[in-house]
Amino acid sequence: MTEQICPEKTSTLTTQQFEIKSDHLERQVTISTWTPKQLSSYELPALLLINDGQQMESLGLTDILEDNIQRLTKKIITVAIHAGPERKQEYGTAGVLDYLGQGSKAMAYTLFIFEELLPFVRRQLGYEQFSEKIFAGFSLGGLSALDIVWAHPHEFSAVGVFSGSLWWRTIDQDDPAYSDDQHRIMHQLIRKGNYASWLKFFFSTGTMDETHDRNNNGIIDSIDDTLDLMKELTAKGYDQHHDMKYLELSDGKHDIATWARAMPAFLEWTMITR
């Protein structure tokens, strides 16, 4: 495992970039980190992992963290994992391919998180433990974060899903046999999984996320898929008001600018109100 450090100091954060040689993914993985300057080695910070780290500059994450760090009640280290050229294979649902065969390396990505990334972060940043771990992602990266958290509840306390690809399915929606109830993969995984009382869920969608409405109910699919997944969580035992937060942006699109608008609300929910 090799590493390169490119430090940059802001007014309240130290940002760094590292390279990890991943055996599981068979590639170099770039990660970006943000650590509060006032954080001492005796404190136990929270750890926030974010998929699609290559988008954090466009998202303006440094400014968002700077703007919010003083009011957050918990200190947090943020680690953003840059996606590689096989993003659609590394993200997805581990062990369950979509109907196009995508997600074939999702299990390898999961193993990378636990066996390579987390040990590296602990060693490099000097924190053997964290008060809690949270995972977040956008679009397909949101599906990936949710899948990993749901499959490993004892490792995480919360997940943030921004415009999640919760349509991920085992057969084409144009197939006459297709059924929302049977073929959306993440919904099935929630239904078949176990309740973990400590887990919390943040979902964000935009009314302009897409235009598709496969069941012709007047609600775009991304919103339908998200609300339906929340219903699955409710059926599993989670309280929609206490355990979940849903943010719907009336003019939100499936883009970085929209996710940047939602990020402060996610941080407030994660680090203050949750």
Side-chain angles (χ1 to χ4, degrees), residues 257-268:
T258 296
W259 303 329
R261 289 171 52 200
M263 181 58 71
F266 169 68
L267 290 173
E268 179 176 356

Side-chain angles (χ1 to χ4, degrees), residues 205-219:
T205 64
T207 58
M208 299 173 65
D209 235 324
E210 61 175 322
T211 58
H212 294 95
D213 177 13
R214 61 178 174 267
N215 60 3
N216 298 310
N217 68 345
I219 301 173

Side-chain angles (χ1 to χ4, degrees), residues 47-240:
L47 177 67
L48 170 61
L49 302 179
I50 307 180
N51 279 330
D52 284 313
Q54 74 282 357
Q55 296 182 336
M56 294 305 99
E57 184 175 354
S58 298
L59 188 86
L61 184 62
T62 298
D63 289 338
I64 292 172
L65 291 173
E66 290 272 10
D67 291 343
N68 288 273
I69 196 169
Q70 297 300 332
R71 66 190 189 91
L72 299 181
T73 57
K74 306 173 188 176
K75 291 188 177 178
I76 183 171
I77 290 175
T78 304
V79 175
I81 309 134
H82 296 222
E86 294 187 282
R87 178 178 181 272
K88 290 185 178 179
Q89 298 301 331
E90 292 179 0
Y91 290 172
T93 46
V96 187
L97 302 180
D98 87 329
Y99 73 101
L100 294 174
Q102 298 176 125
S104 63
K105 293 188 175 182
M107 182 59 74
Y109 186 70
T110 300
L111 292 173
F112 161 74
I113 295 294
F114 290 110
E115 297 183 4
E116 296 175 326
L117 174 70
L118 289 176
F120 178 90
V121 167
R122 290 187 177 103
R123 181 178 69 252
Q124 192 63 51
L125 299 184
Y127 293 90
E128 293 185 2
Q129 297 182 19
F130 299 97
S131 60
E132 61 177 321
K133 294 192 291 293
I134 303 151
F135 211 152
F138 317 96
S139 190
L140 187 53
L143 174 67
S144 168
L146 179 58
D147 178 61
I148 291 172
V149 169
W150 183 251
H152 304 87
H154 288 83
E155 291 284 343
F156 296 96
S157 58
V159 60
V161 183
F162 298 73
S163 300
S165 297
L166 303 178
W167 54 265
W168 204 247
R169 48 188 176 262
T170 52
I171 68 173
D172 193 332
Q173 67 177 21
D174 294 327
D175 189 313
Y178 173 79
S179 165
D180 276 352
D181 189 56
Q182 298 179 32
H183 298 120
R184 287 179 297 185
I185 297 172
M186 197 66 233
H187 297 70
Q188 290 297 313
L189 291 174
I190 297 292
R191 190 176 299 176
K192 296 173 183 177
N194 297 316
Y195 173 74
S197 61
W198 56 89
L199 282 185
K200 309 296 181 185
F201 306 83
F202 177 96
F203 298 97
S204 173
T205 64
T207 58
M208 299 173 65
D209 235 324
E210 61 175 322
T211 58
H212 294 95
D213 177 13
R214 61 178 174 267
N215 60 3
N216 298 310
N217 68 345
I219 301 173
I220 58 174
D221 291 343
S222 61
I223 293 177
D224 257 348
D225 292 335
T226 300
L227 295 179
D228 285 350
L229 190 128
M230 293 175 66
K231 290 177 184 177
E232 294 290 351
L233 289 169
T234 300
K236 187 60 62 177
Y238 295 97
D239 183 89
Q240 186 168 342

